[in-house]
Amino acid sequence: MRNPLKIGLWICITLALLPRVAGAQEIFQYKHRAGDTYRVISTVFQDVFIDRRLSHSAEILNRIAVEVLAEEGGVGRHRATFQTSERAVTAGAPGVSSIQSFQWAREYDSEFSRDRRGIMDVGARYFMPVVRNVPVFPARALRPGDRWSHEGHEVHDFRDGFGIASPYVIPFVAFYEFLGEREWAGRMLPAFSVTYSIGLTPQPVPGRVFPRRIAGNSDQVVFWDLELGQPVAYTEDFRYLFELSDGRTIEYRGWAQAEIVESLRMDREGIAREIAEDIARLGIEDVFVRVSDEGIIITLEDVQFQPDTTIMLEGEMEKLQRIAEILARYPERDILVGGHTALAGTAEGRMSLSIQRAAVVADYLIDLGARAPERVVVRGYGAERPVADNATEEGMRRNRRVEITILEN
């Protein structure tokens, strides 16, 4: 069961600071500029316990792309895309993975506004961001050691786990302390702590297993860059417990960290032309490039594996070696490796095979040094996105493909 509590928390620390004032005081305020774009990259390591016994461990990678649509009277209106992916890790050894690539899990879109203090207004239909009204600042300058509190709430997606259709709201009170300067990545930066606990007894869900009680706590430290006027990073320790109506308990324990990175616009058309020229120069067959909404897609048609397996043929490995050389020229961009199949067998079998084969390609690119593991996400599509007619052999050949997307965000 995927942890529903950790998707989107990092987006809620995105704010700006006004300059320092005399006497080592700080005035914390949100500041929004229309047209600004940025990304939040978060990694979560967690152990999952069922009935107090370790079930499994996981590493969750979250990418959040944010654009400030407008600013009026100190209120910023934002649009964001939240994408989460995960991979299994060796039990009891966070960060040591049994596989290299991350598998795509879910994607959410959201629009919200936020004022100078941090109060958010999010439409009732949006599941993201999860943590809202955190942080909210007092309307006064703060010295190191100053403390304050404010109400906040978490909003969760319990559709898959508990059959609850609407965003599920859990209120809490967050407690803050301005810590002064703390070290992050070799730099001394202003920082503050955020601590809160949750405790809730949900209403029963007829005919479904539901959480009888939800309890947990979060302890965070947020680091700021005064010159840039943005947060640099945050760290968190967390623990959440679900007591279910069927008598089971599910507990999540772990830690997380996130960094905000600059989001530069990509020259999609120009890069696509360069890649097409490289493909032609290197004589790579059955490989094509095109521009999409997500970025630049490199399509490898009719990727050859041993029948009904995930073992690539030698010729495909040689092709990927040349593709890896091309990808290495654009190291600042993450990549999505998508697997596609022809219309054969069962839907479940096609989906499973497409995921497995995409993962093989992704891990091979990682082995070749084209990207670090945390820069690669795998997604399977089965036969859901054909590019040709499955009624013909040629069409099926084209549909059996892997697409490598150099992502805009």
Side-chain angles (χ1 to χ4, degrees):
M1 178 179 174
R2 188 176 299 114
N3 182 353
L5 295 163
K6 305 316 299 173
I7 302 170
L9 172 60
W10 28 90
I11 189 60
C12 301
I13 62 167
T14 306
L15 37 120
L17 292 173
L18 295 179
R20 289 178 185 250
V21 297
Q25 299 181 64
E26 304 290 353
I27 301 176
F28 290 80
Q29 286 187 335
Y30 289 87
K31 183 168 57 178
H32 317 284
R33 292 181 293 269
D36 279 2
T37 59
Y38 53 90
R39 291 188 301 152
V40 183
I41 307 298
S42 169
T43 305
V44 181
F45 299 97
Q46 68 178 14
D47 293 326
V48 181
F49 296 81
I50 298 179
D51 295 334
R52 298 180 177 82
R53 301 183 68 174
L54 180 64
S55 170
H56 63 278
S57 300
E59 183 178 359
I60 302 169
L61 181 65
N62 301 276
R63 295 178 174 86
I64 304 159
V66 185
E67 179 182 4
V68 182
L69 300 176
E71 187 278 334
E72 185 175 354
V75 177
R77 186 161 58 88
H78 301 72
R79 179 169 57 206
T81 299
F82 299 73
Q83 182 192 84
T84 182
S85 55
E86 69 179 78
R87 63 181 178 181
V89 298
T90 304
V96 180
S97 177
S98 57
I99 59 174
Q100 297 192 76
S101 52
F102 287 81
Q103 183 176 326
W104 182 91
R106 201 153 198 166
E107 185 169 293
Y108 300 86
D109 292 321
S110 180
E111 291 192 12
F112 55 91
S113 62
R114 187 164 43 202
D115 67 14
R116 289 190 178 98
R117 291 187 58 208
I119 303 296
M120 301 182 70
D121 183 10
V122 189
R125 66 187 180 91
Y126 292 117
F127 289 93
M128 294 293 158
V130 169
V131 181
R132 302 176 184 181
N133 294 351
V134 174
V136 171
F137 294 107
R140 68 176 191 273
L142 299 172
R143 295 179 181 273
D146 282 354
R147 298 179 180 181
W148 69 100
S149 64
H150 199 277
E151 294 178 354
H153 55 277
E154 295 186 349
V155 177
H156 299 289
D157 184 355
F158 287 162
R159 289 174 294 180
D160 293 343
F162 305 119
I164 299 174
S166 301
Y168 196 87
V169 178
I170 303 176
F172 60 79
V173 176
F175 297 90
Y176 301 89
E177 181 178 357
F178 180 28
L179 304 175
E181 290 194 336
R182 294 289 179 91
E183 183 177 358
W184 173 265
R187 300 170 59 194
M188 297 302 296
L189 297 165
F192 61 88
S193 63
V194 186
T195 300
Y196 63 86
S197 298
I198 63 172
L200 190 69
T201 303
Q203 294 295 317
V205 180
R208 294 291 300 260
V209 174
F210 66 92
R212 290 187 182 277
R213 188 172 76 93
I214 303 173
N217 59 274
S218 171
D219 296 293
Q220 308 165 33
V221 175
V222 180
F223 300 85
W224 299 90
D225 186 318
L226 291 173
E227 182 178 353
L228 295 177
Q230 286 193 353
V232 172
Y234 104 110
T235 63
E236 179 192 22
D237 292 308
F238 63 87
R239 183 183 180 211
Y240 290 95
L241 177 68
F242 288 72
E243 295 180 359
L244 305 183
S245 59
D246 62 3
R248 291 180 300 152
T249 62
I250 302 177
E251 183 179 1
Y252 303 94
R253 302 178 195 168
W255 60 275
Q257 67 178 36
E259 289 189 286
I260 294 178
V261 298
E262 187 177 7
S263 181
L264 300 175
R265 296 292 185 184
M266 181 165 58
D267 179 8
R268 301 186 193 187
E269 297 291 346
I271 294 175
R273 284 194 299 270
E274 293 174 357
I275 292 174
E277 292 170 359
D278 286 336
I279 289 171
R281 177 177 56 82
L282 294 170
I284 310 175
E285 297 181 354
D286 295 324
V287 176
F288 308 93
V289 61
R290 73 180 191 277
V291 172
S292 75
D293 291 340
E294 292 181 295
I296 300 166
I297 298 177
I298 303 172
T299 299
L300 288 72
E301 288 190 351
D302 196 28
V303 178
Q304 297 292 308
F305 292 82
Q306 293 182 17
D308 299 319
T309 74
T310 57
I311 302 174
M312 276 191 303
L313 299 182
E314 184 65 32
E316 301 304 311
M317 294 182 183
E318 295 174 0
K319 183 186 298 183
L320 283 175
Q321 289 170 9
R322 284 174 276 181
I323 295 296
E325 294 176 11
I326 295 174
L327 292 173
R329 295 171 194 162
Y330 311 97
E332 71 281 1
R333 300 291 174 180
D334 298 344
I335 63 173
L336 168 69
V337 181
H340 302 262
T341 68
L343 189 60
T346 66
E348 182 179 345
R350 292 191 297 268
M351 182 61 69
S352 177
L353 187 61
S354 66
I355 293 172
Q356 292 173 27
R357 288 183 168 178
V360 169
V361 171
D363 286 350
Y364 191 60
L365 291 173
I366 292 169
D367 286 339
L368 292 170
R371 289 294 186 280
E374 62 273 13
R375 305 293 298 278
V376 182
V377 173
V378 166
R379 185 173 183 181
Y381 298 93
E384 295 174 356
R385 299 186 178 184
V387 293
D389 189 351
N390 277 298
T392 68
E393 184 59 36
E394 172 62 18
M396 294 181 72
R397 185 189 74 82
R398 292 186 60 199
N399 288 332
R400 289 190 296 265
R401 69 194 191 279
V402 171
E403 293 183 333
I404 303 166
T405 304
I406 303 174
L407 296 169
E408 173 74 45
N409 286 306

